[in-house]
Amino acid sequence: MDMILDAIKKASIEIKNLIETGDTGKSQNQNSTGDTQLKLDIASDEIIESYFKKLSNVKAIVSEEQESVIDINQNGEYLIAYDPLDGSSLVDVNLSVGSIYGIYKDDFKGSNIVASIYVVFGPRVELVYCDGVSVKMFRLQNGEFNYIQDIKLYEIGKLQAPGSTQQCWYPYHKTMIDDFFKAGYRLRYSGGMVPDLHQILLKGGGLFSYPSTTDLPKGKLRQLFEVFPFALVYKCAGGGAIDGKHDLLSIKTLHIHDTSPCFFGSNDEIKKVIEVYKNNG
Ligand code: FDP
């Protein structure tokens, strides 16, 4: 695992430089979900792929930006699913973005995730590593990632990040979000999954939601690249991660680009979501 962590640190330093100086324009290509790829998406993907291809313990990789799995070493132990630059459309307005990595064994599925890593590119570059037990944050300082702190959620938080198009929310979802605001929760939503979830983790708690909607019944966020890695982080930080009714890491993946509704939060908020969703959705 150390080899993978080291490769991600090196790739992240290159991606940081790319974000600072690269072209934020669109490419001519679309990814498999139909999003137009930015030149930054493609370049970040190439950087990460070139590092992973050198690792003897990696069996296969799959990127959110690519259609299919790339085999690396038949005898490798790990499978890696990654989103090279999540929220890349926020770079041109200078908001934070991130990379997400899910590390699996045997098969790409939620119950097989063994570790996850995400990197936030903001005013500072921070890397969060979850080995399935604890959640540790490192910060890039003078070319090195230094350990800063373990991350642990409180039982209840104060922030909420409600994703997707409100016009397409189901009434019970809208009522639930309104009830959180009525209870005093403050809105914190930038539209970048990585910084939005990072903020809730570091401020001790709250709720991030990206629900099933009338236009996207299976949500928007991709299971292997986005949802499962953060589910592992939130669970190991002492919180919860559900699709409304079930533990996110128990849901089935039929296709590598499958999406799922998702809720990540501290325990009190997750209990409230379960209360609402057990009779709805
Ligand atoms: P983006 O489309 O900009 O890449 O991964 C998709 C994502 O961003 C997440 O980072 C973010 O949380 C979400 O989409 C935002 O979607 P909405 O604008 O629909 O809320």
Side-chain angles (χ1 to χ4, degrees):
M1 193 64 74
D2 285 352
M3 281 159 67
I4 295 174
L5 195 52
D6 196 49
I8 291 174
K9 287 177 182 172
K10 287 181 180 144
S12 301
I13 291 171
E14 287 192 33
I15 293 171
K16 167 191 157 37
N17 294 336
L18 183 75
I19 292 169
E20 284 171 4
T21 57
D23 182 347
T24 60
K26 291 180 179 167
S27 74
Q28 306 289 334
N29 310 340
Q30 288 197 328
N31 66 15
S32 49
T33 328
D35 306 326
T36 301
Q37 290 174 305
L38 300 187
K39 292 177 188 167
L40 286 177
D41 291 320
I42 297 171
S44 308
D45 193 24
E46 285 170 358
I47 291 170
I48 294 166
E49 187 180 319
S50 74
Y51 276 101
F52 286 159
K53 277 189 165 163
K54 293 179 206 152
L55 301 183
S56 56
N57 64 348
V58 174
K59 186 170 187 187
I61 58 173
V62 61
S63 162
E64 199 245 338
E65 298 302 333
Q66 295 190 28
E67 191 56 51
S68 45
V69 174
I70 301 173
D71 293 319
I72 311 257
N73 290 301
Q74 217 184 343
N75 298 323
E77 194 180 355
Y78 299 110
L79 305 164
I80 308 176
Y82 64 97
D83 184 350
L85 202 57
D86 187 76
S88 52
S89 62
L90 299 173
V91 173
D92 63 355
V93 291
N94 205 14
L95 284 174
S96 300
V97 294
S99 305
I100 315 166
Y101 304 85
I103 299 154
Y104 302 80
K105 274 191 181 177
D106 302 324
D107 205 358
F108 285 110
K109 59 179 187 182
S111 54
N112 285 357
I113 192 163
V114 292
S116 56
I117 295 168
Y118 68 84
V119 182
V120 192
F121 300 96
R124 294 166 161 183
V125 177
E126 289 177 338
L127 180 151
V128 174
Y129 170 50
C130 173
D131 60 0
V133 181
S134 65
V135 183
K136 300 198 182 300
M137 184 176 94
F138 301 81
R139 186 173 296 145
L140 184 62
Q141 293 164 326
N142 303 319
E144 283 187 12
F145 282 93
N146 295 319
Y147 171 77
I148 302 294
Q149 65 176 85
D150 275 38
I151 297 180
K152 212 71 197 149
L153 285 159
Y154 296 121
E155 281 299 296
I156 182 167
K158 295 179 180 153
L159 307 180
Q160 84 158 331
S164 81
T165 311
Q166 293 198 27
Q167 189 190 27
C168 302
W169 286 354
Y170 288 103
Y172 54 86
H173 182 78
K174 180 165 171 41
T175 305
M176 182 185 80
I177 297 294
D178 289 346
D179 286 347
F180 277 115
F181 284 130
K182 280 183 202 152
Y185 281 74
R186 278 169 289 132
L187 174 67
R188 291 290 183 274
Y189 191 74
S190 73
M193 182 187 192
V194 178
D196 286 337
L197 282 167
H198 189 58
Q199 177 165 206
I200 290 173
L201 283 165
L202 285 184
K203 300 284 185 193
L207 180 70
F208 175 100
S209 48
Y210 207 107
S212 163
T213 52
T214 52
D215 59 337
L216 293 170
K218 293 190 169 165
K220 172 183 181 188
L221 301 177
R222 294 94 172 162
Q223 295 177 2
L224 295 179
F225 315 103
E226 298 170 313
V227 172
F228 296 155
F230 271 109
L232 188 69
V233 169
Y234 266 69
K235 287 178 75 174
C236 292
I242 56 170
D243 69 353
K245 294 186 166 124
H246 316 103
D247 179 341
L248 278 168
L249 294 181
S250 71
I251 64 174
K252 289 213 162 47
T253 300
L254 301 176
H255 185 272
I256 53 173
H257 289 282
D258 277 356
T259 59
S260 171
C262 52
F263 301 83
F264 304 92
S266 27
N267 285 326
D268 197 80
E269 291 82 356
I270 293 294
K271 272 189 216 134
K272 290 194 173 109
V273 175
I274 292 171
E275 264 314 293
V276 171
Y277 272 75
K278 72 178 183 206
N279 301 318
N280 293 293

